Amino acid sequence: MSRQTWIGKFLWTSDHLKLEPNSGGVWIPPLPLSYLQKPLSTWVRAAQVEPVRIPGYWQTSSPNLKTPPSARPKPDEQVVYHLHGGGFAYYSGHPSDTTANIPRSLLQLRTLNIARSFSVEYRLASIKPFDVVHPFPTALLDCLSGYHSFVHDVAEREENVIVVGDSAASLQIQLLTTISTNVLQDGPKKPHEYGIADFNETMSPASLLLGIRSEVVGSYRVCPKMCLAAGRAELLFDKIKTLKEDTEKDMGKELLLTENKDASHDWLLWDWHEPERSETMAAIEQCLVTL
């Protein structure tokens, strides 16, 4: 187990270095470097990072589920690929982590045929005064490794996959859905320089400055069907609305946004955040049914 500092207290969590026993874990092979396209390949070289083997953890709707977690889904079955939040610096993909409440809740939805979820244990970043490790785009690399393995070894068809993420994980989902468009292929070669997020739709998909770069316009045109959930008490609510509007322009169709007037940030993690949590899960269920 690893130890991290969180506001003066210690948070014990699983990490990418070890596969925790008796937790439904498997090793995910690193994504071949030959698969990387610009701009990601440019950022990888600049940050001097590379794909590595990382853990991933299965959860099932019932401990008595007869189907092995890694078995291919039936034609009418959907499987969840979960990316945990935490600012790329905290939390874990392990089933004991707080963020695991989200895929666990999805597994309990009765109108959908979802019996399994898979969470990737991506590498967490840190900066001084701690060790400076795993800078952008390390976590995104790991999520791509997990997605590639998940689709090719398990899901077989992307139509069977529901990609779910909370908080910072929404940025990781942006990578999965837009990186193949080759936007910004001649963009800045220093991914950590000041102001880069203003023009980087992967780092800041709701930046108001993205529209002045013609290379960025249309970058969401290949996005799959999706549903956004946002609380109106959320500090980022306006940015989420901007993301919705920009994505709709590129996709040419309306994007589903579930709003809850009294919900704050990442409220689906907390069992005590009621009735907002249950209301939103019901709305998500309806959203998934219509997609």
Side-chain angles (χ1 to χ4, degrees):
M1 305 292 281
S2 68
R3 186 174 66 180
Q4 299 176 4
T5 299
W6 184 310
I7 318 180
K9 298 181 180 180
F10 288 115
L11 171 70
W12 292 91
T13 179
S14 173
D15 63 26
H16 70 282
L17 297 174
K18 179 182 178 183
L19 190 67
E20 298 295 337
N22 304 316
S23 300
V26 297
W27 284 109
I28 300 170
L31 184 75
L33 284 172
S34 59
Y35 281 39
L36 302 184
Q37 304 179 48
K38 292 182 178 179
L40 182 57
S41 59
T42 302
W43 300 336
V44 166
R45 288 194 300 271
Q48 298 181 350
V49 298
E50 61 182 8
V52 300
R53 187 181 72 159
I54 53 174
Y57 294 96
W58 287 98
Q59 291 192 84
T60 60
S61 57
S62 169
N64 300 319
L65 187 69
K66 295 181 179 180
T67 304
S70 58
R72 293 197 182 279
K74 299 176 182 179
D76 63 340
E77 181 187 356
Q78 294 173 302
V79 286
V80 170
Y81 181 60
H82 172 241
L83 309 175
H84 72 83
F88 304 108
Y90 300 103
Y91 292 122
S92 164
H94 191 272
S96 66
D97 192 82
T98 303
T99 60
N101 286 338
I102 293 179
R104 204 155 33 236
S105 296
L106 291 172
L107 294 175
Q108 303 307 314
L109 299 180
R110 299 306 179 190
T111 58
L112 299 168
N113 189 12
I114 305 173
R116 294 172 285 164
S117 72
F118 186 71
S119 299
V120 61
E121 189 72 280
Y122 59 79
R123 287 168 284 179
L124 301 178
S126 66
I127 58 175
K128 294 180 179 179
F130 308 103
D131 294 336
V132 180
V133 295
H134 312 317
F136 176 87
T138 304
L140 300 180
L141 266 184
D142 293 346
C143 291
L144 269 180
S145 293
Y147 185 76
H148 176 265
S149 176
F150 185 68
V151 170
H152 286 79
D153 298 337
V154 180
E156 195 172 37
R157 298 188 307 153
E158 289 183 298
E159 301 93 287
N160 293 107
V161 179
I162 299 174
V163 183
V164 177
D166 65 287
S167 192
S170 61
L171 298 183
Q172 298 164 11
I173 293 177
Q174 287 301 122
L175 174 67
L176 295 177
T177 57
T178 65
I179 202 65
S180 62
T181 63
N182 292 323
V183 296
L184 293 177
Q185 60 180 4
D186 297 318
K189 293 180 172 54
K190 296 181 180 179
H192 312 106
E193 66 185 13
Y194 181 78
I196 180 61
D198 289 339
F199 300 101
N200 186 317
E201 84 286 358
T202 301
M203 288 184 176
S204 186
S207 171
L208 296 177
L209 299 180
L210 288 177
I212 69 174
R213 289 284 295 273
S214 60
E215 304 99 316
V216 176
V217 175
S219 63
Y220 302 123
R221 63 185 180 274
V222 297
C223 283
K225 297 177 182 178
M226 67 177 72
C227 175
L228 298 173
R232 293 181 185 173
E234 158 73 72
L235 183 63
L236 301 174
F237 181 71
D238 289 344
K239 296 181 182 297
I240 295 171
K241 295 279 284 189
T242 299
L243 173 62
K244 176 182 182 292
E245 294 167 0
D246 289 348
T247 305
E248 287 176 336
K249 291 177 183 177
D250 287 352
M251 296 177 68
K253 53 188 174 183
E254 185 176 358
L255 188 66
L256 295 173
L257 173 63
T258 297
E259 300 179 18
N260 192 295
K261 66 176 183 178
D262 294 321
S264 57
H265 181 72
D266 229 347
W267 69 102
L268 295 178
L269 298 186
W270 316 112
D271 294 336
W272 50 262
H273 210 316
E274 294 289 355
E276 294 79 19
R277 185 178 183 279
S278 294
E279 291 172 350
T280 303
M281 288 306 303
I284 290 174
E285 181 175 18
Q286 184 59 39
C287 172
L288 291 174
V289 168
T290 59
L291 289 180

